[in-house]
Amino acid sequence: MCDLCLAGARLAPIARRNLLKLGAAAAAAAAIAPHALAAPAKAPPKPENVLSPDDALARLMSGNARYVDGVSRRHDFKHEREALSGGQNPFAAVLSCADSRIAPELCFDTARGDLFVCRVAGNFASDDIVASMEYAVQVLHAPLILVLGHGSCGAVDATIKSIQDNTTLPGHLPALVAALAPAVNAVKAMPGDLLANATARNVAMNVEKLKAAAPILKSFVDDKKIRVVGGVYELKSGHVTLLT
Ligand SMILES: [Zn+2]
């Protein structure tokens, strides 16, 4: 049985209170396992991952600093696997580009069970991604969501060229272009590097989209239970710069 099947059993007291505000959909989720809601809360497999949103962000950035400096920790995957066989409580969720040069677990020097990662070329929040983030926040209690763009993003660059050349890309690629075009169009008249500007704007727009995703993520943001932040990964140094 996967974690999603156990969702009802994982709803902690805070999440249960939020259900009262989350409308019919969440109420229906609670209704599927009323007996499970009465069960005592299970201890998180990684107690060190129970963090405030601010502390979770600080931990991410200190991990990135170790990665940049080449002093990443050694992770004992054997014992981590065993400890996590019964559950997970990641301290952050990351929406990253699929680019092979970006590896969130590596660039934040984290172990298994620490990050809930969704990856798609162009790091944009489709409905599927929003749903995954809802699961990370409501069921797994992740206190932080990071949208992570990066320099020289091929998906953003292809969108820019498609718009500038007025061409239609083959296959399913126009779906990516449609998702990223609002960010490109929003900055195309700005001075400076269009690719860098569009990448940053795309991150910012998807941060706002996730913050506003009612009923679940918006409720957690409004109650200050989670933070949603954006950052850009620099390919040469590995440094992540947070967007304000
Ligand atoms: Zn990319």
Side-chain angles (χ1 to χ4, degrees):
M1 184 178 291
C2 74
D3 280 339
L4 191 55
C5 303
L6 291 168
R10 301 280 169 95
L11 291 170
I14 291 175
R16 268 177 258 158
R17 286 197 296 276
N18 277 317
L19 283 175
L20 298 175
K21 306 179 205 171
L22 297 179
I32 60 174
H35 62 286
L37 291 176
K42 184 180 174 185
K46 296 190 108 175
E48 69 274 23
N49 284 4
V50 180
L51 295 171
S52 70
D54 288 348
D55 287 347
L57 182 58
R59 182 170 160 191
L60 267 188
M61 297 313 292
S62 63
N64 180 242
R66 291 193 302 275
Y67 168 76
V68 168
D69 291 341
V71 291
S72 295
R73 293 170 176 162
R74 180 182 183 279
H75 295 284
D76 184 349
F77 293 121
K78 181 176 187 301
H79 289 96
E80 285 173 354
R81 283 196 302 266
E82 293 171 3
L84 292 165
S85 61
Q88 58 172 320
N89 63 313
F91 73 87
V94 180
L95 168 53
S96 161
C97 185
D99 191 300
S100 65
R101 298 166 293 181
I102 318 299
E105 290 88 347
L106 296 178
C107 83
F108 295 110
D109 190 21
T110 52
R112 295 182 194 282
D114 287 341
L115 299 184
F116 185 94
V117 180
C118 297
R119 301 186 66 168
V120 63
N123 47 269
F124 62 92
S126 64
D127 284 352
D128 295 334
I129 297 289
V130 173
S132 295
M133 291 299 174
E134 289 175 342
Y135 175 66
V137 167
Q138 175 144 0
V139 179
L140 304 181
H141 312 300
L144 177 72
I145 296 175
L146 170 68
V147 180
L148 184 62
H150 68 97
S152 304
C153 181
V156 177
D157 194 42
T159 301
I160 291 171
K161 288 184 169 61
S162 178
I163 292 173
Q164 287 180 335
D165 301 341
N166 195 27
T167 55
T168 301
L169 297 177
H172 292 73
L173 288 168
L176 282 183
V177 172
L180 301 176
V184 173
N185 288 326
V187 300
K188 62 185 178 186
M190 283 177 57
D193 184 85
L194 178 56
L195 177 55
N197 290 340
T199 297
R201 182 61 64 96
N202 180 53
V203 168
M205 291 175 78
N206 282 286
V207 165
E208 292 308 311
K209 181 174 182 177
L210 289 169
K211 282 183 177 177
I216 295 178
L217 297 182
K218 183 179 188 306
S219 172
F220 277 81
V221 169
D222 290 347
D223 291 345
K224 302 190 187 316
K225 298 276 193 296
I226 66 166
R227 284 183 66 186
V228 184
V229 299
V232 175
Y233 178 93
E234 207 273 320
L235 287 180
K236 286 184 179 175
S237 69
H239 180 70
V240 172
T241 301
L242 293 177
L243 302 181
T244 55

